[in-house]
Amino acid sequence: MATQSHRIMDCFDPLAAPNANNWHPHLWPPFTQIASASPPQRVIAADGALLMLDGAPPLIDAISSWWVTLHGHANPSIAAAIATQAQQLEQVIFADFIHPQAEQLAERLSAVTGLQRLFFSDNGSTAVEVALKIACQCWHNRGEPRQQLIAFNGAYHGDTFGAMAVGERNLFSAPFEEMLFPVARVPWPATWWGDEEVETRERIALTELERCLQTPTAAVILEPLVQGAGGMAMVRAEFLQGVEQRVRAAGALLIADEVLTGFGRCGALFAFKRAGLAPDLIALSKGLTGGFLPMGVTMAREEVFEAFLGDDPSLTLWHGHSFTANPLGCAAANASLDLLEANPESYENFEARHRPHLEALAEHPKVQQPRLTGTIAAFDLAIDGTHGYLNPAGRIVKQQAINNGVFLRPLGQVVYLLPPLCLNDAQLEQCYAAINLGLEAL
């Protein structure tokens, strides 16, 4: 099994290309060391699964542009919904007003998640921040001080301070280590095809969780079924059900971070449903708006919400964002839900589409630990040297794939596909062919 150190975010290098433009003098790109990385290519348009480049052939966007582009780029239904809404109401302060798009979205998300209350924010990290604050303040408001938070080794929950604290401590959070609050940690028993020791690792993890829960705990946070940025590390539903049983026995809250896994990515509308969980709080973002606009949502059970009601102002959740419940984002989210409801086969059948390709790829000597959940297919490269974020092997595969018309962004030595739902069979076959060529270049 790959060491824990590689369970972190993905490659520094942006898309390199022959005759690439110079670095823009005013832009500061994310997760990029400009002193050593190649300048990025310019994208001038996109359509479906394709990115149209300035002066270069199109690329298949095989990672959905950091996992947000759910139905494909420039989806006409979502674009039209945003355009219509922009002519009616583009923004209004949500502390004093509500609007129809927000009402509709709240009703729909409550119906499909089973959680009654929706709190809007701006992105996945802030959706997690809100969930953490709700969980901790809930106990404070009830007069039962529970301050411990429990997270899993290898987790990634975002880059704001609270989200960093519950995520894996690594080179991204190192400059802020002394500023991050303490968090109890439990092993994440990631598994793969042919794994014969998963039950042993699961027992060890559950035993450690039981030990941690002996301390009064506010909440346990997890990414259901798949740790995304942690290396597409997948666990069994049985393990997650064991986690929930122990959380319930300890009286703590369960937070499901579905920022990546939500909206069909794991083969069901939400990963917690496929895993058979009933979380108290859910963080949503990325595919929420189909990738069109930034928006975050934290769903909460009514019982949790009720802890914030009363005449005492200190019971209030004092949290907000300028663009809370932005009408354009809500319109995009409602249009995206329309598409998911009209064609659930687009995500329910994607795992079966991946499987024969991944089975063939798994025979390659440089492929190890192949794994598959819903639209997400992944494997580790069988390479020499230290496994980790800075291992150059993934970048070699990435560049070879780009040379063959497919954009990948490996997580260190973890190679994965997470394409938009609109990807057709020929494009999917091209993705796997490009990976094969990348393996041969190692």
Side-chain angles (χ1 to χ4, degrees):
M1 182 178 178
T3 60
Q4 209 174 341
S5 63
H6 87 284
R7 302 299 188 191
I8 45 183
M9 278 293 297
D10 48 15
C11 293
F12 286 112
D13 292 345
L15 171 58
N19 303 315
N21 56 293
N22 294 326
W23 283 104
H24 193 286
H26 306 300
L27 297 179
W28 191 340
F31 299 104
T32 303
Q33 178 48 259
I34 292 178
S36 58
S38 302
Q41 267 280 37
R42 295 177 73 232
V43 174
I44 56 175
D47 181 26
L50 295 178
L51 299 172
M52 310 302 179
L53 304 182
D54 188 1
L59 288 176
I60 295 174
D61 184 357
I63 66 159
S64 299
S65 287
W66 249 343
W67 322 337
V68 303
T69 303
L70 185 59
H71 305 283
H73 293 280
N75 180 275
S77 297
I78 301 177
I82 294 171
T84 299
Q85 182 61 44
Q87 296 174 341
Q88 298 172 352
L89 176 66
E90 84 299 340
Q91 171 64 14
V92 66
I93 178 173
F94 205 64
D96 294 274
F97 302 98
I98 60 174
H99 55 83
Q101 290 286 359
E103 291 177 297
Q104 182 185 9
L105 182 59
E107 291 165 3
R108 297 174 76 176
L109 288 179
S110 178
V112 295
T113 64
L115 275 65
Q116 293 76 26
R117 295 289 171 168
L118 181 156
F119 192 97
F120 285 100
S121 58
D122 289 355
N123 55 63
S125 186
T126 56
V128 168
E129 293 278 341
V130 171
L132 296 174
K133 291 178 71 173
I134 289 174
C136 292
Q137 188 178 342
C138 174
W139 296 111
H140 179 273
N141 288 0
R142 290 172 174 173
E144 184 179 347
R146 289 171 171 254
Q147 297 183 342
Q148 176 173 263
L149 293 168
I150 299 176
F152 287 85
N153 293 339
Y156 173 82
H157 296 290
D159 296 318
T160 50
F161 269 82
M164 275 197 298
V166 293
E168 179 82 0
R169 306 293 172 87
N170 49 50
L171 78 163
F172 298 105
S173 59
F176 318 104
E177 184 66 32
E178 295 182 0
M179 304 169 70
L180 301 178
F181 55 76
V183 175
R185 306 282 173 180
V186 176
W188 183 255
T191 188
W192 49 87
W193 291 353
D195 179 10
E196 298 179 353
E197 300 178 357
V198 60
E199 291 183 0
T200 299
R201 294 196 304 278
E202 289 174 347
R203 284 195 296 271
I204 292 171
L206 291 173
T207 299
E208 180 61 17
L209 177 62
E210 290 174 351
R211 187 193 68 79
C212 291
L213 284 168
Q214 291 175 5
T215 299
T217 298
V220 175
I221 184 170
L222 55 80
E223 299 159 84
L225 293 179
V226 182
Q227 282 187 344
M232 299 301 165
M234 302 179 184
V235 293
R236 302 193 308 169
E238 297 94 317
F239 167 70
L240 296 178
Q241 291 164 13
V243 169
E244 182 176 19
Q245 291 167 6
R246 288 155 177 82
V247 171
R248 298 298 173 215
L253 299 176
L254 181 63
I255 302 173
D257 177 355
E258 291 247 16
V259 170
L260 161 63
T261 57
F263 303 104
R265 287 305 192 184
C266 289
L269 191 58
F270 297 102
F272 80 83
K273 285 182 172 281
R274 180 169 180 176
L277 304 180
D280 302 288
L281 294 153
I282 304 171
L284 300 171
S285 188
K286 289 195 183 291
L288 172 63
T289 67
F292 272 71
L293 289 166
M295 176 170 280
V297 156
T298 304
M299 303 295 300
R301 289 198 179 281
E302 188 72 13
E303 297 89 335
V304 173
F305 170 76
E306 288 172 352
F308 294 80
L309 300 179
D311 296 331
D312 184 350
S314 69
L315 297 176
T316 306
L317 178 61
W318 297 109
H319 187 101
H321 298 263
S322 299
F323 287 94
T324 293
N326 173 256
L328 303 181
C330 290
N334 281 313
S336 179
L337 284 175
D338 289 342
L339 293 171
L340 290 170
E341 290 174 0
N343 187 23
E345 296 82 8
S346 63
Y347 58 86
E348 292 174 345
N349 297 341
F350 216 108
E351 187 170 308
R353 296 174 62 199
H354 269 304
R355 187 173 295 278
H357 296 289
L358 187 59
E359 287 175 344
L361 193 67
E363 300 298 320
H364 197 287
K366 293 175 183 174
V367 171
Q368 62 184 11
Q369 299 180 3
R371 47 205 186 266
L372 174 62
T373 300
T375 69
I376 309 168
F379 63 89
D380 283 27
L381 295 169
I383 54 175
D384 296 326
T386 303
H387 284 198
Y389 179 83
L390 301 179
N391 191 293
R395 280 173 272 172
I396 295 171
V397 174
K398 173 184 177 180
Q399 188 58 57
Q400 288 298 316
I402 288 168
N403 294 344
N404 288 278
V406 177
F407 176 59
L408 302 176
R409 191 177 170 88
L411 299 145
Q413 77 285 340
V414 176
V415 179
Y416 71 93
L417 290 171
L418 204 167
L421 299 178
C422 67
L423 192 82
N424 63 41
D425 289 341
Q427 290 169 330
L428 183 62
E429 185 172 350
Q430 184 179 346
C431 290
Y432 279 95
I435 290 174
N436 266 299
L437 292 171
L439 295 174
E440 296 306 317
L442 291 175

